Amino acid sequence: MTIPKAASPGDVRPVRILAIETSCDETAAAVVDDASHVRSNVVASQIELHQQYGGVFPEMASRAHIEAIAPVIQRAMDNANATWESLSAVAVTKGPGLPGSLVVGVNAAKGICLARDLPLIGVNHLEGHIYSHWLNDGPIARLGDPPFPLLALIVSGGHTELVLVRDHGDYELLGHTVDDAAGEAFDKVARMLGLGYPGGPAIERTARNGNPYRFKFSRPRLDKPFNFSFSGTKTAVMYAIRDFGGSVGSGSDAPRLPARVPVTDLAASFQESVAGWLAEKTVQAAETYAVKGILVGGGVSANQALRERLSAVAGARSSRSFPVLFPPLALCTDNAAMIGAAGHFAYQRGVRDGLDMDVLPDLGF
Ligand code: KG4
Ligand code: ZN
């Protein structure tokens, strides 16, 4: 396999990455130049398909990826006005995620690399959420060059992770959830409250009319200072619903909630509890490791209450000031452009994967 040279000062051609992401329920492809310039970013969402089940149905997700993957990649190439010859490499999410979904993206990437003699780069999806901050000349530039060390808070449907980023590709996991991920807790509480799927945006909308301080949910004691646990908070919401005579049902059954169940106050108090915990631990970790800034990523980073809480805690508590950066809303949830940015730095470091690359559903840091 020929490996195109990295861009040098005399070489005006950008390093152009075709990126593919199919780790969960979005089929996504993007073309990204030099880690920042998003030439196209196509996302085919399966939300409508999974709404009827109240969550992602893995087999249906893989089959929907199979239908969507080729047209989505073609659209990304067309929207970017990119030729196959202009690509430097193909980056694809190799994990973590649903095995049957990851396989579809990885096989599509391998097919392109084989046909076009291009290098293949497997990317950690979580790293992608961190690198969403490099896209479109994002505010990461404010942190200086290099911007490290950084603290990343990744909060999504499958993950809640606090990661120290010492350099490109140099990570240390400082903390994680010991049970439900933050987004998963939002999704489960939304289902109990009859608010539908995906739960995060539904809770956020409902919470706007509620009292966030009406219910206080206690936090369990955990062994590690930067770990999280949200399943107790979720169970506390369930008991509160029962106290008001409601029934949360099971599986995808709709809950039975009498009008006296204070849905808006429960949504607001739950959101406040999760946002408060995430904000306090994150700022504490940022102080401990004297980072230059906090990068937030993943679907839950779209949450306005979390954004406000984090910025307020960082501003009020810190002896040094460090900025808290959030990606634009469209880049918070899963997309392939962020995989392209992460793939760019891996490409520059000389990372190359073989055509026998397997998916890694449990990949972490
Ligand atoms: O990063 P993402 O798109 O996919 C995963 O990798 O999981 O995150 C999806 C998660 C879902 O749990 C969804 O409910 C949550 O992000 N989410 C939100 C908001 N928007 C999406 N959670 C809270 N507030 C939001 N506005
Ligand atoms: Zn994600």
Side-chain angles (χ1 to χ4, degrees):
M1 176 177 294
T2 52
I3 297 177
K5 284 198 283 305
S8 62
D11 186 355
V12 287
R13 261 178 28 142
V15 171
R16 175 168 293 170
I17 308 282
L18 168 66
I20 299 171
E21 152 66 41
T22 61
S23 66
C24 191
D25 60 344
E26 332 270 11
T27 315
V31 175
V32 180
D33 285 354
D34 295 329
S36 177
H37 184 189
V38 182
R39 296 189 60 95
S40 64
N41 190 19
V42 179
V43 181
S45 170
Q46 302 177 8
I47 281 184
E48 279 175 25
L49 174 67
H50 299 292
Q51 246 157 3
Q52 56 192 305
Y53 307 108
V56 178
F57 192 132
E59 193 188 326
M60 303 282 275
S62 337
R63 295 170 75 168
H65 284 309
I66 288 174
E67 282 177 7
I69 190 77
V72 163
I73 293 172
Q74 190 61 57
R75 193 139 35 98
M77 292 294 288
D78 291 347
N79 290 359
N81 212 4
T83 60
W84 296 103
E85 292 70 34
S86 70
L87 296 177
S88 309
V90 181
V92 62
T93 303
K94 64 180 174 186
L98 299 169
S101 290
L102 290 163
V103 160
V104 178
V106 164
N107 276 344
K110 285 181 180 179
I112 294 167
C113 290
L114 193 58
R116 303 284 168 176
D117 198 19
L118 285 164
L120 173 71
I121 300 169
V123 172
N124 181 335
H125 175 85
L126 301 172
E127 229 183 311
H129 278 301
I130 295 174
Y131 277 94
S132 59
H133 290 268
W134 267 260
L135 295 169
N136 298 325
D137 295 320
I140 188 90
R142 287 204 333 248
L143 302 186
D145 188 18
F148 308 107
L150 286 168
L151 181 70
L153 170 68
I154 302 165
V155 269
S156 70
H159 293 271
T160 306
E161 250 124 41
L162 265 179
V163 184
L164 180 64
V165 186
R166 291 205 176 85
D167 199 345
H168 289 297
D170 182 358
Y171 309 106
E172 183 187 339
L173 181 65
L174 303 179
H176 58 92
T177 177
V178 298
D179 41 53
D180 290 350
E184 185 182 0
F186 268 94
D187 292 336
K188 287 178 176 169
V189 167
R191 186 157 56 189
M192 292 193 293
L193 292 173
L195 301 176
Y197 173 85
I203 296 241
E204 180 165 15
R205 271 193 308 276
T206 308
R208 279 189 204 124
N209 303 315
N211 174 1
Y213 307 108
R214 174 158 173 196
F215 297 94
K216 285 259 175 290
F217 301 116
S218 59
R219 294 178 194 168
R221 263 181 205 289
L222 299 173
D223 292 345
K224 302 243 176 75
F226 301 123
N227 276 353
F228 302 95
S229 162
F230 299 114
S231 113
T233 315
K234 172 195 71 189
T235 308
V237 174
M238 185 182 80
Y239 285 133
I241 292 172
R242 287 194 181 153
D243 287 347
F244 286 94
S247 148
V248 298
S250 64
S252 54
D253 291 351
R256 285 191 305 280
L257 302 182
R260 63 180 176 279
V261 175
V263 172
T264 53
D265 289 347
L266 282 168
S269 301
F270 165 78
Q271 177 174 267
E272 162 65 23
S273 169
V274 174
W277 195 354
L278 288 170
E280 283 165 37
K281 291 281 170 190
T282 302
V283 173
Q284 206 180 319
E287 286 176 332
T288 305
Y289 290 90
V291 297
K292 287 192 186 169
I294 298 173
L295 307 184
V296 192
V300 183
S301 65
N303 187 278
Q304 202 53 39
L306 174 64
R307 289 176 172 229
E308 285 165 13
R309 268 306 217 109
L310 255 170
S311 303
V313 178
R317 273 246 318 267
S318 170
S319 43
R320 306 164 54 245
S321 72
F322 30 66
V324 187
L325 309 182
F326 300 92
L329 289 184
L331 297 175
C332 287
T333 46
D334 289 349
N335 64 86
M338 67 184 196
I339 304 300
H344 172 96
F345 289 101
Y347 175 85
Q348 299 291 45
R349 288 197 300 279
V351 173
R352 304 288 183 268
D353 284 289
L355 290 177
D356 58 350
M357 180 179 81
D358 198 0
V359 298
L360 297 168
D362 300 318
L363 184 62
F365 283 104

